[in-house]
Structures are given as structure tokens and as C-alpha cells.
Amino acid sequence: MIWKVSLRNLIRKPTRSFFTLLAISIGVASLFAVVSTVETAQKLTKEQLKLYTGNADFVINPEKGEITNEFFDDISAQKSIDSSIGLIHRQTSITFTKSKNISERQLRLTGLSTFNNNLLNLKVKSGDIQDYGIIINQSTSNLWQLKDGDNITVKLPTGFTKIPIAAVVQDTPLLQGPANWQEASSKSWRAVADLQMVQNLFNDQNKLDEVRLKLKNNNSKEEKLLRQQTSQKQLLLKKVVLDEKQTNQLEGLYLMLYIIGGLTLLISSFIVYNTVNVSILERYNEIGLMKTIGYVPHQIKQFFLTEILILSLLSIGLGIPLGFPLAQMLQNGLFNSFQENLHFSLQYKTGLIISLIFGLLFPILASWIPIQKGSKISIVSSLKNDTFIDKKKQKIRTILGLVLLLSIFIKHPSSMILLIIAVTLIYPQLMKTLTNLILLFKKVIPFQGEVASKNILRTIHRSSNVSLILSFVVCLGIFVSSLFTSIENNINTEISRTYGGNIRFTTETSLDSELLERINEVKDINKVHSYKEQEVIWKANSKWNQFSIISVNPQWYEEYPLFYSTKEDTQQIVKLLSTDKGIALGTYLFNAWGGKIGEYITINYGEEKHKLKVVGKVETSQYGGYSAFMLDNHFSEIFKVNSSHKGLIVTKKGQEESEVKNTLLQQYPNDITNIQTITEEIQKQKRALPGVKLLFNGLLLISIFVAGIGILNTIIMNMIDRKREIGVMRSIAFTSKQVFQMIVWEGLIIGIIGVIIGILLGILLIFINMNSQNSPMIHFSFPLDTMILAIISGVGISTIVSIFPAYKASKLTPRELLNKQ
């Protein structure tokens, strides 16, 4: 019976129920889409790393010795090895048309001992992978406009030679090259071929660069045996660790997505709160009558909670199917922002569970306070029709809000949360003040606007709730957009301060003094410097992670730094690196580590463990701050490495970096495996920001739309409350046009106040964040474009949603409006 009664109560107010249902549905859909998008992105990132390493457990690299074909055959034949693959990597260039720049023609050719085992499985689209020639993926084939059977000209150490394309395979991380020709100028194309073929082409018979192994039983006993075998040959055995933080630092992005998805559902919950609150006020006498015939508070709560439960279940039923296409759009938008053409299957299970839980929980929690108050309505007060508002509580609320407002002077991120709570508490007073200010401009606004302002003041708490929702959406939009704008504006400075020169490059052969001298003699090069880099693993929260340690030369660093510190004297950190034989951690790595300066971080390199003293936290563009720095001599002592494959170049003043890069590629086509100018790095970092910003603006527009539904619901409720009043106005003078304009003005004023307070709150949050974070990447940056979008969309949606109830009210005759039914 209770379900029938509750359903009948919802049907009695079809318009209000429909729009509340729509708001919750959009909130559920947004939360589902965001959670599913993040889950898909995280899983896809891990899968891409697994596919690149072939699900290997260990990798063997040369240290002082060499990996020979015989060693590879011996290690592969052992009973403990499930699968193995030998690889050799060589750099070359290919010939297209004369219009293609040398930097766009770089090819990284990898020789493989096998094309099909548990570590590698190439899915052939066309051709035969067993044929002589190179194998490329589908994306590369499309960009090159070549297919299997076509020939390409490759530059070898012995000269140019033609090699056929043996097969085209499905896109895979091992063959992931440039996504377009623009990207090709800073990223090599990728191709694979038979191991023996590559060894013969480059005259490197009986030589491998790495061996990947998968063990049958990955346990300490088998690992120990492997380490003994590799150390005897002076080879390095490394555990494969899947840590995407060096290349994909998306935690902040995921957090923002979660916030916006959660905000949309939170907004819909506010709408539920408002709806239930008004419903209880409307049914004040009804609740009193229910009590007179024997209903107890517990039963009254049941009626209202059942109504919300019905709305929630229907919303979930509508929201989840709507969430699937929305998640697909979000996922495509996210990958397109990073120019990644990836095939994915939506991971929806976690999103489904979270959406079901929060889709039920949020509306019930939002409705609990008004339901609790409604169940306590006394029979006497209902008969008196007494809807007294406790002014004392309102006063306490305002005073508490003003006290919390002082949190803007606290230089800590928590002050942002306190500010939001403060604004929530004092919002009715803020809205009352701004509405009274509007009433002062009687010459600017028409009489209908004046009447609308007075109506808002009469229902200030109800109107302020929906205006508050809109202001939060606008505030979040301003704040997030400011972060993007600030990062975009400061990328140039940040990278320039820590790039270490104008050009960064990696070589196939060791950068000895002779090669450095030859490179230094290249036209327009001023200085050349080599540095060392080593990947190490460390454990945090029972999970293995991986980062790179970079060697620092104090003399080079003085002129061309790789890092700097915002809190300490940077030269002091360099001195501490020398005296304490310590390590300086990039900001992102330092935060992931979770320790304090002066404490020790334990790293694993091969079978050795090292405890290194952390002497500082530094800002750097190297691997996005997920890296560390150590002095040259300390680096060589720990890793026993004297050779280097990494270099930095400073060009002569006024010379084009791209011209120097092209010259080096022309002279060293088989030596330089990777080369990137500082300009290319800046462009690469900036490339994703506009797309991601557009994605967030789209999500915020959805939130504004949901806030608009809240405004619509409130205006409908206000109209119903004042139905007889509007009838009297129509009877004495008001025309239907004036009624229409009065109700539209009501929505317009709610929207204008929400947008104004949202913008001001957003500016305050920007200031607090800038002062509390103390990050060189976060400066005060006001996003004018987002502010214009917020004003247009916020005021626009408030006006548009007001048209429906305004039109409906204007069409009613005075007789219909004055009718008690």
C-alpha cells in the first residue's frame, strides 16, 4: 500500500516529479560516465605497458658484457623459462619525397627473435610476417600510404638500400609511432623485422640489446638463479615494473573528473532537497491530518522516503543507459586530447556499482533533513497553518558563516573547503543583499523585475538554494579553467628553467669524448654535455614503482640547470648532494614517496639495494617531476657506469634549434636514436591542454544544465505557491504578458546572482590555491573565456528554464488561478 500511496503523490505533481527525475538521471549518468572513463583510461594505460613489455617478468640488458645469440639460446632453453624473446634496436632513416623533412623520416627498427609467443603476438592485417622485410602497423601504413609488398629506402651505415614491407599488423604499443606528420618531427616511426635480418643489415651479427623473459613460476629461487647466470656474464637483470607515472601523470586529471561527476550528482541531490522541502510545506496540513488519525513519525518518514526511493530507482534506470554514450564521448575526447588513437572497451563495472550506490544514497541523504522535520510537525501547528522559521537558527548560521569566511587568510589548501562551507552558510544573506541592491535600480529594471525581486525575497531560502548550486558550478568552472590557463602560460618558463640546454638527445653508441668533440664542431652548436641516467625501482605500499635518476655536473648546472627549488637555495641542494652523497627528488616523486627531507629512500638496482638520503625536493620538467638527481661521481660509484648515452646541446645565440637538429640527423642517422628541441617539448606539453579544457567545459555545461533544472523546479514551486496571488494580480491590472515577464525576471535574477557570486568565489579560490600551493606552475590567471561562457550559459539557462512556467502561468485565466482546486 505504501508504494501505491507514494507513487500517487509523485503523480499528483507530474511536472515537478519529471524534472527532479531528469536531474537525478543526469547526475547518475555523469557519475557513471566519469568513473567508467577513468577506469577505462587506467586499465588501458596498464595494458599498453604490458603489451609493450610483452608481459615479461624480467629484462636482461648489457652492463659490461654483451648479450650473444648463444647466451640467449642457453637461457631460453632452461626449464624455468616459460617464454623468451631477444631484441636488437637500431636507428635509421627512410626516404619518402623530397618535401619530407629529415626529422620526419626517423625510423626505429627492432629485430625480434620471434613474432609469436606468450610475450608477443602480432595480429596480421595483410601480408606475411614470415616474409623477408619489415613489419609496420596499420596507422603507420595509412600515414605512409604504403602497403605490404611496397619497398622503402633505408639508410644503413653502408649506404642506402631498399627493403620491402613484409606485412601490416594491428596497432600495438611496440610499434606505436607518430599519430600524424606533425608529431613525426619529434617522434621516430617504429617497425620490426626478423632478428637475423637486422643483425645482418647493421653488421651486428651475434649481438642483442635486450632479452625479455617470462618465468613459469616467478619466485625468489628462480630469480636468484637468473641473477647468478647474468652476473657471471656481466649482464644486468632487471625486474619489469609497470609504472606509468613517468609518462602518464593523470591522477590530477582523474581527480578533477571525479569532482565534476560527483558535483553533478550533488547538484541533483540539492534539487531533491528543495523538492522534498517544498513538498512537506505544501502537505503541512495533510501531515497534521495523518497524525490525527494515528500515523506516527516513523510511518510519515516511510511515505516520503518511499517517494524518493521510487524517484531514485527510476533515475538509475534512465541514467545508466544514458551514461554509456556519455562515457564513450568522454573517453574519445580524452584520448583525442592526447592525440592517442587507441581502441578500447568501456570498463563499466565499477562505474555501475558506484552509480547504483550513490544514485540511491545521495537523494535519500539529501531528503533526510526535510523529512525529519516534516515527521515532527505537530497537529496543533498544522491546524494553525504555522510554518514558522526559526530566525535564531538563521542568525547563528550567518554568524558561523562569517567566522569561517576568515579562513581566506589561512595559507593552506583546507581553507578552500572552509570558504565553500562559509559561503553556503551565508548565501541566503548574500542573496538577500544582492536582491535588495537590484531593487535600488528601479529605473533600469521594469516593474515586473521589481515584483520578481520582492517575490525572491519572500522565498529567499528556497531561491538561494538553487542559486547556490549554480554559483558552485560557475566557481568550479572558473577555478579549473584558471589552473589550465596558468599551466599553459607557465609551461614555457618551467621547461626553459630545467631543460638543461636547447636540445636533448640520446645516442645508440656511447657518448665518449671523441664523439662529443665531433658533435661540438657541428655548425651553430655552442656547447655539448653528456649526462647519465638510470632507471631504478622502489617499493611503496607493497607495490613496486620505477623512476629515473639523472646525474648532475655542478659546472654545467650553474649555467643550464636541470632543476631548481622554490623553498631552499638551489646551490645549497647541489652542495648537499656532494657532501651527504644524497639525492634530490622531483616534486611529483617526492609526494609519491611520502617521506621528509633528511630521511632515506631505498632503491633497488639489479640485485643491489641502496639507501639514499633525500636532501631536497626540487621542481623539474624531467619526466614531469617523477625523477631524481645525484652528482656524477656518486652516480658512477653506485651504478658502476662510466659511459653515457644522453646529451644536452646549447646552440649559438639566435640560431634555429630545428636547423641544428636536422644537421645532426643528417650527419649521424644511425647514432642518434632520439633528439628533441626545447620548442618541441613545450609544444608537446601544450598540445593536450586545449582538448582537456574543452572536455571539462563540456562537463560543466552539463552541470549548469542540471542547475537549470533546479531553478525550473523552484520557479514552478513558487508559481504554485502564488497561484491565487497571481490570479488577484491578473484581476486588478496585470496582463498575461506582464505575468510572463515577471516569472522570467525571477529566473533571470536567480541566475545573475548565482553567476556573480560564483565568479567572485572562483576568484577567491584561485587566490587561496595560489598562496597555499606555492607552486611555480600556479599563478593568478583569470580565464576570461570561461567567465564569458559561465555568464552566457548560467544566465541563459536560468532565463530559458523560466520560460516554460512563465508561459504556463500566462495562459491561465484569472478564474483558473483563483480556483482553490
Side-chain angles (χ1 to χ4, degrees), residues 60-278:
I60 301 172
N61 292 124
E63 192 174 34
K64 293 180 180 177
E66 285 189 350
I67 306 175
T68 62
N69 291 349
E70 291 77 22
F71 173 81
F72 171 66
D73 292 338
D74 290 343
I75 208 90
S76 301
Q78 292 181 14
K79 292 181 180 179
S80 60
I81 305 299
D82 179 66
S83 303
S84 64
I85 187 168
L87 302 91
I88 185 171
H89 307 284
R90 290 295 176 264
Q91 192 70 21
T92 183
S93 63
I94 47 182
T95 303
F96 288 113
T97 61
K98 291 181 180 178
S99 62
K100 298 297 178 189
N101 193 292
I102 180 66
S103 62
E104 298 174 355
R105 296 191 271 114
Q106 299 304 295
L107 175 68
R108 187 68 170 162
L109 184 59
T110 299
L112 302 173
S113 60
T114 180
F115 295 129
N116 194 4
N117 69 6
N118 290 341
L119 294 178
L120 182 68
N121 186 12
L122 299 176
K123 296 178 181 178
V124 180
K125 303 286 286 186
S126 63
D128 189 344
I129 56 176
Q130 301 302 326
D131 288 349
Y132 180 85
I134 68 167
I135 300 163
I136 59 175
N137 67 5
Q138 187 69 59
S139 296
T140 302
S141 173
N142 294 337
L143 286 167
W144 285 2
Q145 295 182 348
L146 295 173
K147 60 183 185 302
D148 56 288
D150 293 337
N151 292 319
I152 61 167
T153 303
V154 177
K155 190 172 184 180
L156 302 174
T158 53
F160 289 95
T161 186
K162 284 188 177 180
I163 301 175
I165 297 173
V168 176
V169 297
Q170 188 175 303
D171 289 355
T172 178
L174 185 64
L175 291 170
Q176 190 175 9
N180 49 55
W181 284 106
Q182 182 186 358
E183 201 178 53
S185 62
S186 58
K187 189 176 182 180
S188 293
W189 302 100
R190 302 299 300 263
V192 294
D194 176 70
L195 175 65
Q196 192 174 353
M197 171 188 157
V198 178
Q199 288 176 331
N200 291 335
L201 285 173
F202 288 87
N203 198 25
D204 279 322
Q205 289 86 356
N206 201 31
K207 186 177 179 181
L208 286 85
D209 291 332
E210 65 174 297
V211 172
R212 297 177 185 176
L213 303 171
K214 186 170 184 62
L215 307 185
K216 289 178 180 176
N217 300 300
N218 189 3
N219 53 44
S220 56
K221 185 179 178 182
E222 290 186 352
E223 182 181 343
K224 187 177 180 181
L225 180 63
L226 271 175
R227 292 202 181 280
Q228 289 174 351
Q229 292 174 304
T230 51
S231 62
Q232 287 172 3
K233 298 286 185 178
Q234 295 186 310
L235 303 174
L236 179 66
L237 179 72
K238 293 197 296 185
K239 185 190 291 287
V240 173
V241 175
L242 303 178
D243 188 354
E244 71 277 11
K245 295 186 189 73
Q246 281 188 321
T247 52
N248 295 299
Q249 297 167 6
L250 299 176
E251 286 89 346
L253 181 64
Y254 295 154
L255 179 61
M256 287 182 189
L257 283 171
Y258 280 136
I259 289 170
I260 293 178
L263 178 68
T264 309
L265 187 59
L266 195 63
I267 290 168
S268 64
S269 300
F270 260 105
I271 293 168
V272 172
Y273 170 83
N274 237 18
T275 303
V276 175
N277 211 21
V278 171

Side-chain angles (χ1 to χ4, degrees), residues 801-820:
V801 298
S802 306
I803 292 172
F804 171 73
Y807 177 79
K808 197 173 180 182
S810 67
K811 290 299 176 184
L812 294 172
T813 64
R815 185 176 179 179
E816 289 172 316
L817 288 163
L818 291 168
N819 192 338
K820 290 184 179 181

Side-chain angles (χ1 to χ4, degrees), residues 117 168 267 324 378 462 494 499 722:
N117 69 6
V168 176
I267 290 168
F324 276 94
S378 67
R462 186 191 303 171
E494 189 69 10
Y499 203 71
R722 302 199 310 271

Side-chain angles (χ1 to χ4, degrees), residues 317-328:
L318 288 170
I320 299 296
L322 182 64
F324 276 94
L326 183 59
Q328 193 82 16

Side-chain angles (χ1 to χ4, degrees), residues 626-653:
Y626 197 71
S627 53
F629 300 90
M630 170 186 299
L631 285 191
D632 272 336
N633 53 358
H634 189 202
F635 187 99
S636 300
E637 183 184 324
I638 287 179
F639 302 113
K640 301 176 178 63
V641 175
N642 293 317
S643 61
S644 171
H645 293 268
K646 300 273 185 177
L648 296 165
I649 292 172
V650 177
T651 58
K652 289 180 180 177
K653 196 172 182 180

